C-alpha cells in the first residue's frame, strides 16, 4: 500500500482534495497518482466539476416535459419552440474570479456560457445576468460593480450578442463575495442540435481555437474553496478572454452544427482539457488518449500538468473521423482558427495522457466521473431563525409618510432604474430585440416561428435568508410571472444555486431546502428544469453569503402582436390588481429601509393560486383585454404603480376606498408589502367586464384601484407626487453618493 502521508496537506489543498479523498483515490488505483493524475483527480472531484455535495439533491428536480429536447447532462438544455426550431439555454456562475479580478472574471463568465450554447450548435441570440454586491454606498463595492458591468458589456458587445436583461441587488451578505451569474440563450433548427458524446474508437480528437497558456490553472478548484485574505494570490487562476477570437470560433461551430462529419463537440470550460476530454469520452462510453506535446501553446516551458489544467478561453474539442479531419480543419482555417489533432477515441474506458510518447496519466474514466466521492453533510436549521421569523420589527414603529416612503424606495439601489447598467450593453445588436431592458422580461423575435421568446432572471435572497425553500420557490414564481407579464407562457427554466460552504450544517440545510423549493414550484407550475449550475463555497473569512437561488426563465409567445408592457399606455384606462391584496412586509425592501433588519413573518405562497393567477393573466393578454401588465415584486404595489407611470409617461389616481382600512402600518403594508401572485393591470373601461369574467373563471380576485392619466401619481389621502419627481427619484438610484 502506498504511503498516503507522503503528500503534504498544502499540496492536497491546492487541488481541493481532502486526505480521505486522496486515500480513496490511492486505494482505487492501488498506487499513488502521478503529478498529472493528482491534478486531474482534484479537478474532476472538485465541487465545481463533480457536484459531489449537490448531485443527490439535484436528482429531485423535475427535468422532463413535452417540450424538453435536452435536459441536464449536456452543455446546455434545449426545448422545442415549434416550427422545427429549438431554444438552447443555460445559466452559470463566475463568482470567485469576479471577486478577484472583476473585469476578466465577468468577461470570461460570459465567454464560457456562450460556448455552452454554441457547442450545441445553437446561435446565441441573447445574454442576461444576475449580479449581487455588498452595500452600494461602499466605494469598493461600486468598484467591483463597475468592473463586472464593463466585463459583461465588453465581451457581449464585442462578440455581437445582445445583453437584453438581468437583475442587480446589494446586501451586506455579498460584501466579501460578489455573485456574477450569466445566462445565454440560443436558437437552432431541431435537426441540427449537436451533442458532446464521443463515439467511434479510432476517431480523432481536434483541439480548436486559442493556443493554451497558463491562465486559469486550478480555476475549478479555486471555485471550490472559500475566499480569504490570500485569495488575491489566486489571480493567475482567473482566465483572460478574447471575444474577437470567440466570435470566429462561434461562427465556425454554428456553421458546422448538424454536419455529419462532426461526431461530437465539447467546449473547454472548468478544468480545461481535463474535464472536456473526460466528460466527452465518458458520455459516449468510450476512452480517450491525448498527447499534450501536440497542443499549441502560447507560453514556453509548460508542463503536461499545466496543459491539462489550463483554463485558457476560446477553445473547443471536436471528435471527427480520421478521413474527415483535414476537411474539418480547413473549415476552421477559413476563420483563422488554429486546430491540432491532439488525440483519438479508444474503447478502453480510460483517459490516457502522453507527453511525446511518455505516459503521464492513465486513469479509468469511471473513477473520474462515476466514482466522485459524494458528500452527505449534516443539515441543521440555523439557530435563531425561528426567532427572526417570529419578530415583528415594524409593529411599534411609526410608519413613514407614504409619499416620502415611495420616493425612498425608488431611490434604493435595489429598486431604482438600471439604466446606468444596461446602457453599457448593446441590447439591439442582431435586430431581434422586441422589448429591451426595463420591462418585466426581455422579448426577442424568433425568425421562422412567427412569434418570440421572453427571458428573465430572478432571485430573492432576503426572503431566502428567512426561508430558503420559500425564497427559491418565490424566485421560480417571480421569473415565471415576469415572462407572463409580457404575454409569454413559461416553458422551461435554468437555475444557478449560489450558497456558502456546504460543510457547514446550516448551509447544507439551506441548499437542500432551496432545491425542494424549486421542485415544489416547478411541479405546481408545470415548468421543467433543463440546465443549471451550482456555486458553493461562497464564503469569505468564514462568513457565508445569504442563500441565493437565481432562476433563468424562458417563455414562448406565439403572436408578437399580443405582447404587453408594464407602462401605462393611455389616459382613462382602468387600473386593476389581479390577485390577492397581500400585506407581507417581512423581508421586504420597505423593512430594510425603515428597520434595517431582515425579519418577521415570511410571505405566504399558495402555489395553486400562483398558477391560477398566471393562467388568468395570460388568458386576458391573449384575448386583448389589457393595455399593460406589470408583476408586483420589490417595493410592492406602490413601486409597481410608480414604474408603470414612469415607463408609460403618464400618471395615475388610486381611489381612497382601496386604502381606507385599519392602522397606518396596514396601509403601508398594502402599498409596499411584497406578497407574491399579483399583477398590476390597466385596461380600457369597456373591457373590464370581460376581465372580471376571466378572473372569476380562474377563481382569482380582481380589484379596482383607479384610473390612468395626468402628470401626477396620487394615492388619495396618502400620497400626491409629481411624475417628474417620481422619475428623478427612480433615475438617481445608481448614482454615486454625494
Amino acid at each position: 500500500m502506498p504511503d498516503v502521508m507522503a503528500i503534504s496537506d498544502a499540496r492536497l489543498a491546492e487541488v481541493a482534495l481532502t486526505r480521505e479523498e486522496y486515500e480513496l483515490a490511492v486505494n482505487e488505483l492501488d498506487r499513488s497518482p502521478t503529478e498529472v493524475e493528482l491534478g486531474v483527480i482534484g479537478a474532476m472531484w472538485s465541487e465545481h466539476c463533480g457536484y459531489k455535495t449537490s448531485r443527490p439533491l439535484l436528482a429531485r428536480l423535475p427535468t422532463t416535459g413535452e417540450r424538453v429536447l435536452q435536459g441536464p447532462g449536456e452543455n446546455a438544455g434545449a426545448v422545442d419552440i415549434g416550427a422545427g426550431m429549438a431554444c438552447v439555454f443555460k445559466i452559470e456562475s463566475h463568482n470567485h474570479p469576479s471577486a478577484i479580478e472583476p473585469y476578466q472574471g465577468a468577461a470570461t463568465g460570459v465567454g464560457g456560457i456562450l460556448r455552452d450554447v454554441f457547442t450545441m450548435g445553437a446561435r446565441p441570440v441573447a445574454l442576461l445576468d444576475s449580479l449581487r454586491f455588498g452595500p452600494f454606498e461602499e466605494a469598493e463595492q461600486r468598484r467591483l460593480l463597475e468592473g463586472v458591468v464593463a466585463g459583461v458589456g465588453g465581451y457581449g458587445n464585442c462578440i455581437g450578442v445582445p445583453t437584453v436583461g438581468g437583475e442587480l441587488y446589494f446586501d451586506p451578505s455579498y460584501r466579501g463575495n460578489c455573485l456574477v451569474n450569466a445566462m445565454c440563450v440560443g436558437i437552432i433548427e431541431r435537426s441540427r442540435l449537436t451533442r458532446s458524446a464521443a463515439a467511434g474508437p479510432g476517431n480523432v480528437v481536434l483541439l480548436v481555437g486559442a493556443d493554451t497558456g497558463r491562465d486559469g490553472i486550478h480555476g475549478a478548484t479555486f471555485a471550490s474553496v472559500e475566499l480569504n485574505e490570500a485569495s488575491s494570490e489566486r489571480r493567475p487562476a482567473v482566465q483572460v478572454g478574447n471575444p474577437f477570437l470567440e466570435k470566429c470560433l462561434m461562427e465556425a461551430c454554428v456553421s458546422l452544427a448538424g454536419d455529419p462529419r462532426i461526431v461530437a463537440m465539447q467546449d473547454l470550460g472548468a478544468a480545461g482539457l481535463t474535464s472536456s476530454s473526460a466528460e466527452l469520452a465518458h458520455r459516449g462510453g468510450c476512452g480517450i488518449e491525448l498527447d499534450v506535446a501536440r497542443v499549441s501553446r502560447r507560453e514556453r516551458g509548460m508542463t503536461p500538468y499545466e496543459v491539462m489544467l489550463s483554463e485558457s478561453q476560446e477553445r473547443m474539442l471536436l471528435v471527427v473521423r480520421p478521413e474527415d479531419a483535414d476537411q474539418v480543419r480547413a473549415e476552421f482555417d477559413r476563420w483563422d482558427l488554429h486546430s491540432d489533432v491532439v488525440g483519438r477515441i479508444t474503447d478502453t474506458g480510460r483517459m490516457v495522457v502522453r507527453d511525446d510518447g511518455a505516459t503521464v496519466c492513465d486513469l479509468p474514466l469511471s473513477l473520474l466521473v462515476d466514482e466522485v466521492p459524494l458528500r452527505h453533510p449534516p443539515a441543521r436549521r440555523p439557530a435563531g431563525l425561528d426567532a427572526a421569523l417570529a419578530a415583528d420589527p415594524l409593529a411599534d414603529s411609526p410608519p413613514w409618510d407614504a409619499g416620502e416612503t415611495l420616493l425612498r424606495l425608488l431611490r434604493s439601489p435595489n429598486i431604482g432604474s438600471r439604466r446606468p447598467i444596461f446602457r453599457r450593453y448593446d441590447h439591439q445588436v442582431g435586430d431581434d430585440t422586441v422589448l429591451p431592458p426595463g420591462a418585466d422580461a426581455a422579448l426577442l423575435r424568433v425568425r421562422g416561428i412567427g412569434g418570440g421568446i421572453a427571458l428573465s432572471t430572478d432571485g430573492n435572497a432576503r426572503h431566502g435568508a428567512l426561508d430558503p425553500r420559500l425564497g427559491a420557490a418565490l424566485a421560480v414564481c417571480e421569473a415565471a410571472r415576469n415572462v407572463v407579464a409580457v404575454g409569454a407562457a413559461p416553458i422551461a427554466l435554468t437555475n444557478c444555486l449560489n450558497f456558502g460552504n456546504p460543510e457547514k450544517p446550516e448551509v447544507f440545510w439551506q441548499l437542500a431546502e432551496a432545491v425542494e423549493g424549486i421542485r415544489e414550484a416547478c411541479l405546481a407550475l408545470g415548468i421543467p428544469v433543463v440546465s443549471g449550475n451550482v456555486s458553493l463555497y461562497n464564503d469569505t473569512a468564514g462568513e457565508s453569503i445569504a442563500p441565493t437561488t437565481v432562476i433563468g426563465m424562458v417563455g414562448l409567445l406565439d403572436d408578437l402582436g399580443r405582447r404587453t408592457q408594464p407602462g401605462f399606455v393611455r389616459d382613462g384606462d382602468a387600473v386593476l390588481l389581479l390577485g390577492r391584496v397581500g400585506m407581507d412586509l417581512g423581508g421586504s425592501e420597505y423593512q430594510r429601509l425603515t428597520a434595517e433588519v431582515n425579519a418577521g413573518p415570511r410571505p405566504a405562497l399558495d402555489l395553486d393560486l400562483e398558477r391560477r393567477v398566471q393562467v388568468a393573466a395570460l388568458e386576458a393578454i391573449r384575448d386583448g383585454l389589457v393595455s399593460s401588465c406589470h408583476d408586483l415584486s420589490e417595493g410592492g404595489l406602490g413601486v409597481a404603480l410608480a414604474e408603470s407611470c414612469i415607463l408609460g409617461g403618464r400618471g395615475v389616481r388610486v381611489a381612497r376606498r382601496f386604502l381606507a382600512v385599519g392602522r397606518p402600518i396596514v396601509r403601508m403594508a398594502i402599498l409596499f408589502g411584497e406578497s407574491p401572485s399579483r399583477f398590476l393591470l390597466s385596461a380600457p373601461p369597456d373591457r373590464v367586464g370581460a376581465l372580471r369574467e376571466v378572473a372569476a373563471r380562474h377563481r382569482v380576485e380582481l380589484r379596482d384601484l383607479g384610473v390612468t392619466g395626468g402628470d401626477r401619481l396620487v394615492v388619495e389621502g396618502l400620497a400626491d407626487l409629481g411624475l417628474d419627481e417620481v422619475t428623478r427619484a427612480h433615475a438617481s438610484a445608481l448614482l454615486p453618493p454625494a
Side-chain angles (χ1 to χ4, degrees), residues 275-394:
S275 63
S276 61
S277 57
E279 292 169 0
L280 179 128
H282 185 265
R283 284 193 188 111
C286 304
I288 191 167
E289 291 183 359
L290 300 170
D291 188 344
V292 294
R294 298 181 180 181
V295 175
S296 296
R297 310 170 193 190
R298 62 171 179 261
E299 298 184 53
R300 294 181 179 179
M302 290 186 68
T303 66
Y305 183 96
E306 291 172 325
V307 173
M308 288 301 296
L309 293 175
S310 166
E311 294 185 11
S312 293
Q313 298 291 284
E314 293 90 34
R315 299 182 298 163
M316 286 281 185
L317 275 187
L318 282 80
V319 177
V320 300
R321 294 186 298 270
E323 60 270 26
D324 294 330
D326 288 342
Q327 291 181 350
V328 172
R329 294 182 73 187
E331 291 294 323
F332 286 99
D333 286 342
R334 290 180 56 241
W335 292 96
D336 291 327
L337 293 169
H338 190 74
S339 58
D340 298 315
V341 178
V342 298
R344 67 186 184 94
I345 300 301
T346 69
D347 60 1
T348 64
R350 301 183 72 84
M351 171 193 276
V352 178
V353 181
R354 297 188 174 90
D355 182 19
D356 199 19
T359 300
V360 295
C361 174
D362 186 348
L363 296 170
L365 288 167
S366 59
L367 173 72
L368 299 178
V369 181
D370 296 327
E371 297 172 29
V372 174
L374 300 181
R375 293 178 178 174
H376 302 278
R380 183 170 63 237
R381 185 180 176 87
L385 189 56
D386 290 335
L389 291 171
D392 189 357
L394 302 176

